[in-house]
Amino acid sequence: MKTRILTCLVAIAAILFSSSLFISCQSPEEKVISPLESLCKTVEKDSFTVDQMDTIQDKFKEVNEAAKTCKFTDEQLKEVTKLKVRFSKGVVKKAADRVGSAVDGFIEDLSAN
């Protein structure tokens, strides 16, 4: 039993160590692109709600601040621009879905009266 727990702890420590090495090896530019991609995936998920928007917007602002100090290559700059557009589209789509749901609910309430 102790050996099994110790083995699990060592495996977890190895995973954490290897992932920290990967992250520390990223350039400042990669440290901007990777979180941007993650934010895009977050806002595109069906489980993402407008209520989570403040947190996501704060993270997006942090990434934008970090991007100001980066020296992107032309290719990286294109990628950052695409990701920012993708993020904006995801946010707008979620906001539009929410407005649409509110309008539908309002219309249902009017027709019920």
Side-chain angles (χ1 to χ4, degrees), residues 13-103:
I15 291 169
L16 290 174
F17 179 72
S18 63
S19 64
S20 68
L21 281 177
F22 175 72
I23 291 170
S24 66
C25 293
Q26 286 183 322
S27 70
E29 293 78 14
E30 291 169 332
K31 288 181 182 179
V32 167
I33 294 171
S34 181
L36 264 177
E37 194 166 355
S38 177
L39 287 171
C40 289
K41 289 177 183 177
T42 300
V43 297
E44 292 168 347
K45 287 182 183 176
D46 290 334
S47 60
F48 177 74
T49 64
V50 177
D51 298 333
Q52 299 167 319
M53 189 57 64
D54 289 338
T55 305
I56 295 298
Q57 288 288 5
D58 290 342
K59 289 180 183 178
F60 186 73
K61 286 177 186 176
E62 288 175 20
V63 171
N64 274 331
E65 286 299 313
K68 291 178 182 178
T69 62
C70 292
K71 296 179 181 174
F72 294 109
T73 64
D74 288 342
E75 195 63 36
Q76 288 172 328
L77 192 57
K78 286 178 186 177
E79 181 68 18
V80 168
T81 303
K82 285 179 186 178
L83 289 171
K84 285 182 178 182
V85 168
R86 186 174 150 198
F87 176 82
S88 297
K89 283 182 180 179
V91 169
V92 168
K93 184 175 185 271
K94 288 296 178 180
D97 289 347
R98 177 143 185 179
V99 169
S101 297
V103 169

